Amino acid sequence: MRIRDAALADMAAITDIFNQAIPDGNSEWTEQLHTVDERASWWQGRIATDRPVLVADRDSAVVGVASYGDFRDSTLREGYRFVCEHSVYVDREARGIGVADALMDELCERARAAGLRRMIGTIDAANPASLTFHARRGFVEVGRMPNIGFTFDTWRTMVLMQLDL
């Protein structure tokens, strides 16, 4: 497996990986599937602001994606300029083989190299696998926002987890 920067040619695979998380309801707080054009626009926006979009490439197939972006729009609130919010998604067929760890290793290195000090994860309380993954990687719970989201007829509680980079 190789971790590399995402390319435009990866957008279909990235879109599929994001869309896999939607029916579960506890990762992507939307009920609408993403489109390749939407993901391409997201990718271009990240690249334009020097925010990485990484993919895990296994046997020439994209099996995971990770990125970080601003936390609370640091362009308007520069006090947050040393903080980022991340996301990591792994193809359902590649879970449990270290893809998320490999992506997070590189993502954290990129964040440190960019001078960031904290990484935030916003995780659904009903997603124990993600909560466990983040805790294992040194993230600590710093807050909960009960019933702040609503998808698939379910109120969602957001758990805020923080990593000191």
Side-chain angles (χ1 to χ4, degrees), residues 34-122:
H34 298 288
T35 67
V36 173
D37 287 344
E38 177 186 273
R39 287 290 95 191
S41 179
W42 165 79
W43 168 73
Q44 290 166 338
R46 290 289 168 104
I47 300 307
T49 57
D50 291 325
R51 302 300 196 196
V53 177
L54 305 174
V55 294
D57 186 317
R58 184 173 183 227
D59 299 326
S60 299
V62 172
V63 296
V65 59
S67 184
Y68 66 74
D70 275 356
F71 178 74
R72 300 211 22 119
D73 194 356
S74 66
T75 57
L76 293 176
R77 298 171 191 93
E78 70 280 355
Y80 294 108
R81 68 188 174 277
F82 299 109
V83 183
C84 64
E85 182 177 346
H86 80 288
S87 59
V88 177
Y89 291 87
V90 177
D91 185 280
R92 71 174 62 93
E93 300 299 320
R95 292 181 186 152
I97 62 170
V99 174
D101 280 312
L103 284 164
M104 282 298 293
D105 288 345
E106 181 64 20
L107 198 63
C108 288
E109 284 304 312
R110 299 275 186 107
R112 287 182 191 99
L116 298 173
R117 297 194 56 210
R118 302 284 185 276
M119 182 176 282
I120 305 297
T122 54

